[in-house]
Structures are given as C-alpha cells and as structure tokens.
Amino acid sequence: MAYKKSKKAPFDKNCVMEALHLRGCSIRKLDDAHGFGWSSKSVERGLRDREVSPDLLDALGKYLNVEPDYLAGKYHRECEKVKDPFIREIWMRELKAEKYPYILKQQKTKIEGKFLYDKYVEYVLTIHDISIEQLNSMEKEKRRDFQIALEEVVAPLLIKYFPQNAFGRDTWPDVYRLQNEIEDYGMDEPELPEDFWDDDGDNK
C-alpha cells in the first residue's frame, strides 16, 4: 500500500531565528519548553528542509506567540513580489516578528466552518440561553442594531480592563473597529461572499 505524503508548510529560517531571539529562546531550549510538544531535532530538520508539518508550525507559533504565517516567511515572499525596489525595501524593514502575534492566526481561523465574529456572537447568546436562530429570525435592521449595541457595551469594558492589546498598542481606539464596520456596512448591500476575508490570494 502506497503511503500518501503528508502536506508540508514552508519554514523560513530567518523568520524562525528572529522569533526565537525575540522570546529569548533557542532551538535547544525547545526540548524543555513546557507546552510545545515537539523536539528540537524536529525543528532543526524543518529548518534544513525549509518545510515542516502544519502542526509543528502552529505549535511553534503558539509557543513563541508569533503568527505561523510569519514563521513560514509568507509576508517576506509577498514583499519580494513588489517590483519597486524602494517600496519593497520599506515594506521589508517593517516586517518584524513582534508585529505578528499568534492572535492573528486565531482571528483568521474558522470554527466549525464559521468566521470568528459569527461564533463570538453565537457564544454570547448561547451562554445566556438565547439561540442563534432567534437572532437570525430578526429583521436585518434590528439584528444590526443588536450587534452595534453589543459592541457599545463590550468595547468600554475592554478599554477599562485591558489598556493594551495583544500587539502592545493602546486598546483605544482600535477596539471600536468592529463597531465602526457594522455601522458603516450598508443595509442594502449584498452579503459578502464566504471567501471575502480569506487572505490566501496574492492581492494584499
């Protein structure tokens, strides 16, 4: 029986070493890293082959609090496609592991086929004995009013208890981004396609 070769993810040595240095870690120290779950030899082999299993990439990203796509060198490869050398140099200088925390991966991940915001609202309702069907049965304008009202309550609480976000920036005013997007989204505009927020394309 032929074995199907498992899919591998790109693994960028410069990005990985930068992230390790940022967290005061080394490849050897990964053997004793609580919660990482992979050997240093697996990481070394990945650096040599320039590819690893997606599970290892995700585990390392989570342990170092760096987005897996950054460790894979995705953003550097995209910058290299820029034809203008001046712009390419500026963008390259802006690429730093500290600007790409693991939360970026979490924000892009679908849960049970749904986007993060959809599950967020569903969880809030479910915890309080309200079904998602009750929300979906509302008229569109009323459903939008509820979503805005929810953010008007949540945002000030986050500002009060979390003055800085996961990127090390002031929580205000970015915390109101979601509310602004809901308010600005036209009532008569068509629903966005499922892949609208996917970032796998080359148009960045």
Side-chain angles (χ1 to χ4, degrees):
M1 179 183 294
Y3 289 97
K4 186 177 180 181
K5 186 176 180 180
S6 59
K7 185 178 180 181
K8 296 288 187 177
F11 204 45
D12 189 281
K13 182 176 181 179
N14 291 332
C15 294
V16 171
M17 299 309 294
E18 178 199 354
L20 287 168
H21 179 73
L22 174 66
R23 304 307 179 198
C25 189
S26 69
I27 295 177
R28 292 298 180 190
K29 289 181 180 179
L30 291 174
D31 284 325
D32 301 319
H34 178 70
F36 176 49
W38 294 78
S39 68
S40 62
K41 290 189 179 297
S42 296
V43 176
E44 289 176 338
R45 184 164 52 250
L47 293 175
R48 184 184 66 240
D49 298 339
R50 293 187 294 182
E51 62 178 17
V52 291
S53 72
D55 290 340
L56 191 159
L57 180 64
D58 185 72
L60 185 61
K62 185 180 295 185
Y63 177 72
L64 296 176
N65 190 23
V66 175
E67 185 188 11
D69 278 347
Y70 188 89
L71 299 178
K74 175 180 178 179
Y75 301 111
H76 289 78
R77 289 193 298 275
E78 290 178 348
C79 277
E80 288 169 358
K81 296 177 184 177
V82 177
K83 294 181 179 180
D84 188 311
F86 179 72
I87 296 177
R88 184 171 62 245
E89 177 66 20
I90 293 176
W91 286 10
M92 281 290 192
R93 285 203 302 263
E94 288 298 311
L95 291 176
K96 299 182 185 299
E98 62 191 27
K99 294 183 178 181
Y100 292 84
Y102 186 78
I103 193 174
L104 287 172
K105 190 261 184 182
Q106 295 173 304
Q107 290 174 338
K108 296 174 185 175
T109 301
K110 283 186 176 181
I111 305 173
E112 298 175 358
K114 295 184 178 181
F115 290 104
L116 185 62
Y117 176 75
D118 296 325
K119 295 302 294 185
Y120 154 63
V121 175
E122 183 176 347
Y123 288 149
V124 170
L125 294 174
T126 302
I127 289 172
H128 296 285
D129 300 328
I130 307 295
S131 73
I132 190 65
E133 287 76 19
Q134 289 176 265
L135 176 67
N136 292 336
S137 66
M138 287 181 177
E139 293 182 359
K140 191 173 182 180
E141 184 173 356
K142 188 174 182 180
R143 187 166 67 242
R144 178 172 174 267
D145 288 344
F146 165 75
Q147 292 170 321
I148 293 173
L150 179 62
E151 289 306 305
E152 288 176 340
V153 173
V154 171
L157 283 174
L158 294 178
I159 293 171
K160 179 179 180 180
Y161 290 99
F162 302 95
Q164 285 195 324
N165 61 25
F167 299 90
R169 300 193 295 261
D170 289 344
T171 301
W172 182 91
D174 287 350
V175 73
Y176 286 104
R177 175 182 55 82
L178 181 56
Q179 180 179 334
N180 292 335
E181 289 176 357
I182 296 171
E183 290 175 339
D184 292 342
Y185 188 68
M187 293 297 299
D188 297 324
E189 293 180 14
E191 294 292 330
L192 295 175
E194 272 290 304
D195 61 352
F196 182 82
W197 295 112
D198 290 353
D199 66 340
D200 293 329
D202 292 331
N203 297 325
K204 292 294 287 182

